[in-house]
């Protein structure tokens, strides 16, 4: 109910995230602003200066901030997030980052419009209603879907050197739509 709690600056080791404290994962970042998943170690090992990286399922921008720092000024991060309930926080988080571009789409194996299933914890939204009500009531919102291979083939996106993909169980659909990009010899 308090607007001031819907965009709380949270200092992390990679920059400030603006968290909406109605979302449980934002409260988790507020309580523990350092990564504890180990995913950051993988990113630090494989992402280098000047790389092009994709953050598929950017959420609130926790890893987007890290990737932005790792690729540096001449690198580029393309963040993908279709959930309109997360976008205000994500947009504010990445606003000062000149090397990040946001795509407000769900990547999948087909183009078009889809229903995004958003439970009470909006960070668990997916193109599949996988929660079965376990995490509270689920409501649907319309979102646009795009195919990664088509975005790369059209020149809208460059070929990435690294992909982080966390889309709540829809990863296979993302990768089916990225077969040509992933199977390149280079």
């Amino acid at each position: 109910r308090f607007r001031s709690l819907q965009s709380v600056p949270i200092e992390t080791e990679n920059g400030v995230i603006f968290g909406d404290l109605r979302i449980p994962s934002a409260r988790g970042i507020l309580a523990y602003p350092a990564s504890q998943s180990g995913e950051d170690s993988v990113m630090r090992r494989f992402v280098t200066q000047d790389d092009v990286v994709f953050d598929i399922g950017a959420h609130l921008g926790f890893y987007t901030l890290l990737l932005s720092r790792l690729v540096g000024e001449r690198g580029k991060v393309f963040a993908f997030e279709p959930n309109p309930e997360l976008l205000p926080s994500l947009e504010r988080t990445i606003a000062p980052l000149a090397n990040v571009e946001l795509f407000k789409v769900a990547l999948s194996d087909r183009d078009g419009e889809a229903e995004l299933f958003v439970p009470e914890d909006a960070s668990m939204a997916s193109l599949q209603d996988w929660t079965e009500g376990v995490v509270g009531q689920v409501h649907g919102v319309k979102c646009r879907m795009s195919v990664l291979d088509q975005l790369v083939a059209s020149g809208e996106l460059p070929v990435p050197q690294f992909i982080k993909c966390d889309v709540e169980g829809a990863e296979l659909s993302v990768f089916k739509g990225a077969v040509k990009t992933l199977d390149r010899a280079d």
Side-chain angles (χ1 to χ4, degrees):
R1 295 182 187 220
F2 297 104
R3 283 214 156 291
S4 62
L5 298 179
Q6 295 174 23
S7 188
V8 174
I10 304 168
E11 186 68 42
T12 72
E13 61 188 336
N14 297 302
V16 175
I17 289 178
F18 288 89
D20 182 338
L21 296 186
R22 295 174 295 178
I23 300 169
S25 58
R27 296 191 301 269
I29 295 169
L30 178 64
Y32 303 101
S35 175
Q36 299 178 4
S37 69
E39 292 169 330
D40 59 320
S41 299
V42 173
M43 292 175 201
R44 290 179 212 284
R45 181 173 176 202
F46 290 104
V47 177
T48 61
Q49 291 282 316
D50 305 333
D51 277 355
V52 171
V53 301
F54 294 172
D55 183 357
I56 304 171
H59 187 247
L60 300 173
F62 189 84
Y63 291 121
T64 312
L65 288 173
L66 171 60
L67 292 168
S68 170
R69 192 172 57 84
L70 293 174
V71 302
E73 291 178 10
R74 294 189 319 257
K76 189 75 175 179
V77 177
F78 294 91
F80 301 86
E81 180 56 60
N83 188 341
E85 295 179 23
L86 299 178
L87 288 172
S89 294
L90 177 59
E91 289 172 323
R92 188 154 183 214
T93 296
I94 66 173
L97 305 175
N99 64 351
V100 175
E101 185 173 340
L102 177 61
F103 283 72
K104 300 174 186 179
V105 300
L107 292 178
S108 188
D109 55 356
R110 57 190 166 86
D111 276 323
E113 189 174 85
E115 184 169 18
L116 186 69
F117 296 93
V118 184
E120 288 177 22
D121 181 349
S123 66
M124 296 178 162
S126 180
L127 294 174
Q128 303 288 323
D129 188 7
W130 64 274
T131 67
E132 298 177 354
V134 172
V135 292
Q137 286 200 321
V138 175
H139 64 278
V141 296
K142 296 291 181 201
C143 74
R144 189 169 63 94
M145 288 189 313
S146 295
V147 176
L148 186 66
D149 278 342
Q150 292 173 0
L151 294 170
V152 171
S154 72
E156 192 170 348
L157 289 174
V159 174
Q161 280 81 42
F162 183 87
I163 297 173
K164 172 259 179 187
C165 183
D166 181 2
V167 291
E168 302 303 319
E171 289 82 2
L172 184 57
S173 294
V174 172
F175 295 137
K176 283 181 178 180
V179 169
K180 291 177 184 171
T181 301
L182 295 173
D183 284 349
R184 293 171 54 106
D186 60 352

